[in-house]
Every structure is written in structure tokens, then in C-alpha cells.
Amino acid sequence: MSRLKAILWDVDGTLAETERDGHRIAFNQAFEALGLAWRWDAAHYGQLLNITGGRERLRADMAQRSDAPATADERDALVDELHRRKTAIYTALVHSTGIPLRPGVRELIEQARDAGLRQAITTTTSRANVQALLGLHFGAGWREWFEVAVCGEDVARKKPDPEVFQRALQALGLHSPLDAVAIEDSPGGVAAARAAAVPVVVTLSAYFAQATLEGAIAIGPGLHTRQGWRPALAPTEAAAPGPVTVQDLQAWHEAMDSVSQIA
Ligand code: XBP
Ligand code: MG
């Protein structure tokens, strides 16, 4: 019997391609709303994603700009106002564009629930953003699917710090991080999970497809397919390869000692 008791889900990039299709657009609309000429193109945003958290990202970008406010107090006030607007724009955008879940995500969440696995959200994004995305796809009762949701506001230090995972494990009452598996897409997320000693499966996303991601127990192109993963998944009798299953997660989880150094 598998030791795996819980799945800890990252949100942005893992559940949905929200960075590409939502957050960047919302930041730019917030700049526009405040009459700022700043715009983050896709390439620059890719660089900025190395900084986790929207406020932190705004602050880091301002530090590089000659036309940003001069004093720290003024910058803080502008970050607050931009982020407030960005959150409102993003949550509206999630509903208006109906940002889809990545293929294979819903199947795995449903199968995990049927299999009695516990599920949690472990993200650095704001709670309002999680509420918008999961409310859209799982309805007002989305919390019935995810026992615990640790979001950006709940931690003192965002990923790559392990705090978000430590809080989730504690809230779930899991004494060993090895009882869980994290599903992540970014170097910061993988580093955070590893620092918390939680085994991590990486589903490559639009922004981090080329990133160096070390120490995952498995890396692959997305949960929609059993093909293209390292370590490879054993073929099933089904004709089509199909999405990644709970049994696949359990198999990687059981083998983790031997593949923990996979890059
Ligand atoms: C990704 C993030 C988030 C979003 C922006 O988090 O870094 O900060 O880019 O959200 P994860 P906020 O992949 O862990 O879900 O503006 O609300 O911070
Ligand atoms: Mg992510």
C-alpha cells in the first residue's frame, strides 16, 4: 500500500497558465489605469517571474526604473495601489476569459478525491486569485475539494522559502513531509518543496519549460499525458497513453529514493 496521503497543489502555472494569460495582462492594465507608461512584455515578465509574489515583483521592477518614485514610502504606496488594482483586474479577467485548467488537472484532482487522497493548495498567489480560479472551475464549494489552502497572505516568507509547505503539512496534521507530494512548475516552487523535504513532481509550464529544475522525483510536459516523463511511466493496457493517474504519482513516490537526484 502506498504511503502517499496528500497532494499539495501549486496554482499559477500548475493548475492553469495564469501567468501568461492572466497576471501579466492584469499588471499591465493596472499600470495603464494609474497613467503609468510601464508595460511588461512576455519576455520581461519571464525574467520577473524569478521573483515570487506580485508585490515583490512590482518592487523589484521599480528598483530598476529611473522614473519610479524616489522615496521608499512613495514606492510602497504605489505598490499597494497597483497591487490592489491588479488583483481586482485579475479576478475579473479569470471570470471574463474563463482561464481553463491545464489538461489533465481536473482528472487527477477527481481521481485523487475518489482514491481518498487529501488535497491542499500551496501557493504564493493572493487568496482572492485562488478563490477566483477555483470558484470558476469547482464552484462556490471548491473548499470541499481542498482541505487546506495556504496562500500568499498566510506566510511571512514566500517561495522559495519552505513556509507555505510547512504550514500546509501542519494544517493537514501530517507529521512527515514524505507522506505528501507537491505538484509544481517553477524553480522557486521546487526549491520551496525541497526545502520542506516534500517530494515534488514538476509539470512544465509555458514560462518555465526551459528552466533548470533540480531534485524533482519526476518531470514531464503536463498531467494530460503519461508520455515524455522522467522517470518514464510503464505503459498500460489502454491503447491511448491518457493522463497521469494517482497510481503514477504513487509509483514515483515509492521510487523517490532512487530518482531524487533527477535534474
Ligand atoms: C506564483 C506567483 C504569484 C503571481 C501573482 O505563485 O508568484 O505571485 O505571479 O500573484 P504560485 P499576486 O505559482 O506559487 O501559485 O500578485 O497575488 O502575488
Ligand atoms: Mg507555479
Side-chain angles (χ1 to χ4, degrees):
M1 201 175 119
S2 173
R3 168 180 188 171
L4 183 61
K5 295 192 177 71
I7 303 179
L8 311 181
W9 289 95
D10 172 47
V11 174
D12 297 304
T14 297
L15 292 182
E17 286 288 6
T18 49
E19 297 292 3
R20 187 188 62 190
D21 303 336
H23 289 294
R24 185 180 71 87
I25 293 159
F27 279 115
N28 283 336
Q29 288 185 11
F31 296 145
E32 196 178 351
L34 290 192
L36 293 162
W38 307 342
R39 296 292 180 273
W40 290 347
D41 64 25
H44 183 54
Y45 194 63
Q47 293 294 315
L48 287 173
L49 279 179
N50 291 320
I51 299 142
T52 51
R55 288 165 177 278
E56 292 79 357
R57 203 165 291 149
L58 285 165
R59 213 167 275 126
D61 189 60
M62 277 187 209
Q64 307 297 319
R65 289 184 182 276
S66 55
D67 57 345
T71 70
D73 282 355
E74 286 171 326
R75 284 182 196 207
D76 285 348
L78 184 55
V79 166
D80 283 351
E81 182 58 14
L82 280 169
H83 196 260
R84 197 182 59 74
R85 285 179 184 248
K86 178 260 172 179
T87 302
I89 294 166
Y90 174 84
T91 53
L93 201 70
V94 166
H95 285 284
S96 63
T97 61
I99 293 182
L101 294 176
R102 290 184 62 186
V105 164
R106 176 177 282 279
E107 289 88 330
L108 189 56
I109 290 173
E110 286 177 354
Q111 211 190 71
R113 187 165 90 158
D114 293 346
L117 281 178
R118 303 170 74 191
Q119 301 188 77
I121 296 293
T122 41
T123 177
T124 53
T125 208
S126 303
R127 186 167 291 276
N129 303 343
V130 177
Q131 168 75 43
L133 186 75
L134 296 183
L136 174 70
H137 292 291
F138 293 92
W142 68 268
R143 283 303 306 267
E144 288 160 25
W145 294 78
F146 302 95
E147 226 176 292
V148 166
V150 187
C151 305
E153 297 91 330
D154 303 323
V155 294
R157 295 165 306 278
K158 293 179 179 172
K159 297 173 189 174
D161 192 280
E163 186 179 347
V164 62
F165 290 104
Q166 290 161 343
R167 285 189 183 276
L169 292 170
Q170 196 177 22
L172 288 166
L174 292 179
H175 299 299
S176 171
L178 300 181
D179 290 340
V181 69
I183 306 187
E184 275 287 350
D185 72 305
S186 69
V190 173
R194 291 196 76 204
V198 175
V200 52
V201 167
V202 173
T203 168
L204 292 170
S205 62
Y207 268 112
F208 296 111
Q210 311 302 327
T212 305
L213 293 143
E214 285 175 13
I217 62 166
I219 296 183
L223 298 171
H224 61 290
T225 179
R226 300 181 73 251
Q227 287 183 326
W229 285 84
R230 284 182 296 148
L233 287 165
T236 59
E237 280 165 25
V244 169
T245 65
V246 165
Q247 290 73 31
D248 296 332
L249 285 187
Q250 289 170 335
W252 283 324
H253 193 256
E254 271 156 37
M256 66 184 151
D257 284 346
S258 58
V259 295
S260 63
Q261 293 311 312
I262 195 167

